Amino acid sequence: MARVAFARDPATAAYYDRRAAEYDDWYTSAGLHATRSRPGWDAEVRDLVALVRGLEPARTLDVACGTGFLTRELRGFVVGLDQSPAMVEIAQARIPDGVAVVGDSLALPFAPGAFDRVFTGHFYGHLPPDERAVFLHEAARVARELVVVDSALRPGVDAEGWQERVLLDGSRHRVFKRYLGADELAGELGGEPLYAGTWFVAVRASLPAAG
């Protein structure tokens, strides 16, 4: 596990930049995902959008915001951060009253206490232990609250491991991935479950002051 990297892996960064134009197909069951059997998926995506929209307005930093599919639902002043310029370009168009910037999710380019909340969707569950610890420290440095949305552990999937991802251009990529139960994630973060579905989980946690 010590050699596993996600946020610091150049190949992973290249994959997500290349995937930007088709990333939302995963949420909307289009493209390569159109024929996948995912019972209840669309309803849970709607639940997830409603959950994010229902969070209290706050100065929010969305770490690894991707295309801004969920970022645009956050209320209050919002900054989206992603290492992919292609993702950031799409996200900025979706949050005209906020800002999307290219940046390092493990070295957040913001002052201590700059935000009320750090939000992250489908990022935390990719991180191996060392990157996880760095991310949580950085989140606690810039905000007092963390909301994590991720993929639920379900029958038929391994709790963690490498996955092969295929893009529309036929290219193949390897990505590290964990699946989490809502209670497991809440225990890991010291927080409370906000959503526990077949496909998605969400947890909110108070962050300790970073030392």
Side-chain angles (χ1 to χ4, degrees):
M1 183 66 72
R3 291 180 294 175
V4 175
F6 179 81
R8 292 189 173 111
D9 177 29
T12 297
Y15 158 65
Y16 277 98
D17 198 57
R18 195 168 182 171
R19 186 184 170 191
E22 61 189 87
Y23 183 82
D24 287 1
D25 290 352
W26 179 70
Y27 277 118
T28 62
S29 299
L32 293 174
H33 304 276
T35 58
R36 292 181 63 185
S37 177
R38 301 189 292 187
W41 175 271
D42 292 341
E44 288 203 15
V45 170
R46 290 192 294 271
D47 288 347
L48 202 57
V49 167
L51 184 151
V52 175
R53 191 179 295 153
L55 293 172
E56 301 85 353
R59 291 175 301 152
T60 303
L61 171 64
D62 185 352
V63 175
C65 66
T67 61
F69 185 90
L70 294 178
T71 320
R72 61 188 170 184
E73 307 298 340
L74 292 162
R75 295 182 297 149
F77 179 70
V78 177
V79 175
L81 178 140
D82 201 281
Q83 65 180 343
S84 163
M87 293 281 196
V88 165
E89 182 178 1
I90 297 170
Q92 182 60 79
R94 288 176 161 172
I95 51 171
D97 296 327
V99 180
V101 297
V102 176
D104 186 344
S105 298
L106 301 186
L108 300 174
F110 303 103
F115 298 92
D116 303 312
R117 174 191 300 131
V118 166
F119 177 90
T120 189
H122 304 287
F123 173 67
Y124 183 80
H126 284 292
L127 300 177
D130 60 334
E131 291 187 343
R132 220 175 294 154
V134 174
F135 167 69
L136 291 175
H137 182 273
E138 279 292 276
R141 184 179 64 81
V142 302
R144 296 279 71 82
E145 181 182 88
L146 173 65
V147 174
V148 173
V149 170
D150 229 297
S151 298
L153 181 62
R154 63 186 189 277
V157 299
D158 294 329
E160 66 176 59
W162 290 95
Q163 296 180 342
E164 183 179 70
R165 303 286 183 85
V166 182
L167 296 179
L168 284 169
D169 62 9
S171 61
R172 296 178 180 273
H173 309 265
R174 291 178 77 240
V175 173
F176 180 73
K177 174 71 174 177
R178 291 199 304 153
Y179 293 87
L180 299 145
D183 289 338
E184 175 193 1
L185 180 57
E188 194 169 296
L189 298 176
E192 60 172 345
L194 295 178
Y195 190 79
T198 299
W199 299 101
F200 304 110
V201 294
V203 166
R204 172 164 36 201
S206 297
L207 294 168

